[in-house]
Every structure is written in C-alpha cells, then in structure tokens.
Amino acid sequence: MTEAVLFDARPDGIAILTIDRPESRNALTREVREGLAAAWDRFERDPALRIAILTASGDKAFCAGGDLKEMVENGMQVPPRDMFALPYDTIHLSKPTIAAVNGVAFAGGWMIAQACDLCVASTAARFAITEVKVGRGSPWASPLIHMIPQRIMMELILTGKAITAQRAYEIGLVNRLAAPEALLDTALALAAEILEGAPLSVQAGRDTVMLATEMGRAAALEAARDASEAMYRSADAQEGPRAFAEKRRPVWRGE
C-alpha cells in the first residue's frame, strides 16, 4: 500500500478504498496508481471482505483524471495496457465494487468509477470524458454502450462536456444520488443490502450480469446456468429456504 490510497477493512465485510490526494484533485499519479493496484489486490485476497467501496478525500474531486504533466514529461503515446488498475479489466476481481463519487470524475476519474459494478454519486458531483479536449483517446469507455444509450454516449465522448450527477442518474450511469455529507453512508447502505444476500448467490448474480453483456441471449443463458450450479449445490441454498420457513434470518456460510 502507499499513503496515497487509504484502506479500511471493516468488520462487516466492507472494504473502503480512499484516494487521498485532494491537493492534486486525486489525479491518477504514479503513486495513486500503485496504491490502487495494491489496495485492489489486498481486497481480493482477503476472504473476510466481500464488497469494496472506492471513494476519495475532499469534496472537490473524486478523481480529475490522468497526470497530464507526467504524460508530457514521458512523451507518452499509447498508454501501457497495465498502466491503470481497473477492476475486472487490468486486474482480477471476483467480488462486487461500488464507486462513491464525491466531486468531479473527469477522464480517468470517470474511467475508474465506470469500472466499478455500481455507482453512488454526491449531488455535487460532475462527470466528463474530456479526452478530446487534450488530444487523447478514451478506448476504456467502450463498455459504456452496455450502460447508457448510444447517442448519449456519442455526445459525451465527442464533446467532452461535463454532466451533472442528476443527469448521470437519469441516463443510468449512477445508481443512487446522495447529499454530499451522506455520500459514504449511502454507499455503505447499498453495500449492506448486497451483504444481506448469500455470498455464492451474489457472486453468481454478478457473473450472470457480466455474461449477459458479453454474449448473445442463448449463450448467456447457458453460461449463466453453469455459473450458478455451484451456488445451487451449496449449503446456503438449503439454508435460505429453511430460514424462510422458520421465519428467521439466514446464517450464510458462503459454501
């Protein structure tokens, strides 16, 4: 871990990753990139942690994007494939993630928020894919086609203009809005709702969503059935109906 990214492993199974460089608008400097890579790896390796929330310090910027000064100094052309630690893309993660966006999420900031499974945003947040403004590209934005309508995606990428959190919610980029002071509590509440579910069912559910975005209907159905088989054969699959019949909360074992 680096000091640029804080890691809070809570006893309830939630990990909170916080980019802690508000003085540089939490930009994706080398230090922040390395900190995120280490934090995601720590989250994945800890079996006691079931869901992660990615947020940032301060209320001005969630992440203002890549470090343009570094790009100038390095004469960077095509960014290395592994330059950014993106959940489910350049790094392996098998557990769900939530972005808690507390300020501007521009360029790389949008990228890391988009990479998470879910997104909660402060009503003061703003989102923009600004690469056209600085002559760079946004190939990372391609999965947006599964999240928002094509014409809206086209406008966002071609104009580079920012949208409000309310607009991001309207187009389906954001799951929930929160007052700035209630952002983390709202993200924690969403995480707690997910934690109420059986661990294997949550994992199979996430796999189903991702399979459906990558395959046609018939192939996705077959793959999702295979992905759910271990869950159906688990002890938790018996515990859930039993707890319902006995009118008590289920005790999940994750097996």
Side-chain angles (χ1 to χ4, degrees):
M1 303 294 293
T2 71
E3 293 180 354
V5 177
L6 308 179
F7 192 99
D8 179 16
R10 292 164 48 102
D12 57 5
I14 302 172
I16 302 176
L17 287 62
T18 305
I19 304 174
D20 191 31
R21 285 294 179 265
E23 70 281 358
S24 61
R25 293 164 63 84
N26 296 311
L28 295 172
T29 61
R30 178 184 297 275
E31 186 184 24
V32 169
R33 298 196 306 269
E34 291 175 352
L36 285 172
W40 287 128
D41 182 66
R42 178 177 172 183
F43 166 62
E44 177 67 15
R45 291 175 181 273
D46 190 337
L49 298 174
R50 290 182 51 199
I51 189 167
I53 296 172
L54 174 64
T55 191
S57 296
D59 57 3
K60 301 297 184 184
F62 168 73
C63 175
D67 186 350
L68 296 180
K69 293 173 64 176
E70 178 187 354
M71 295 179 191
V72 171
E73 292 170 358
N74 295 344
M76 183 181 294
Q77 295 182 345
V78 181
R81 177 73 177 82
D82 60 353
M83 181 173 178
F84 300 104
L86 294 180
Y88 322 109
D89 183 359
T90 60
I91 58 172
H92 169 73
L93 283 185
S94 60
K95 298 179 276 192
T97 54
I98 301 171
V101 179
N102 51 313
V104 300
F106 288 176
W110 180 312
M111 175 182 69
I112 61 174
Q114 175 187 302
C116 295
D117 289 321
L118 301 164
C119 183
V120 176
S122 157
T123 51
R126 290 188 298 147
F127 297 81
I129 303 173
T130 58
E131 278 78 353
V132 295
K133 302 290 189 181
V134 292
R136 306 296 292 181
S138 52
W140 53 263
S142 55
L144 266 179
I145 199 64
H146 298 293
M147 303 178 187
I148 67 176
Q150 176 181 320
R151 289 185 184 271
I152 294 175
M153 177 179 173
M154 188 74 75
E155 180 180 352
L156 290 167
I157 291 176
L158 297 190
T159 67
K161 290 188 175 180
I163 58 173
T164 64
Q166 177 63 40
R167 179 59 173 159
Y169 176 77
E170 291 169 356
I171 64 176
L173 181 70
V174 168
N175 295 89
R176 297 183 183 181
L177 294 175
E181 65 276 11
L183 175 67
L184 187 56
D185 285 343
T186 302
L188 286 168
L190 177 57
E193 290 180 25
I194 294 170
L195 289 178
E196 289 180 2
L200 293 180
S201 294
V202 169
Q203 182 177 353
R206 187 189 179 279
D207 289 345
T208 296
V209 174
M210 300 314 295
L211 289 167
T213 66
E214 297 171 7
M215 300 179 175
R217 179 180 180 277
L221 281 169
E222 183 176 355
R225 292 188 186 103
D226 289 341
S228 297
E229 186 167 334
M231 175 266 298
Y232 280 120
R233 297 182 185 278
S234 70
D236 281 352
Q238 301 302 314
E239 166 65 5
R242 184 183 303 114
F244 179 82
E246 296 174 359
K247 298 181 180 180
R248 60 174 174 81
R249 293 179 64 86
V251 179
W252 306 125
R253 294 166 49 188
E255 57 185 36

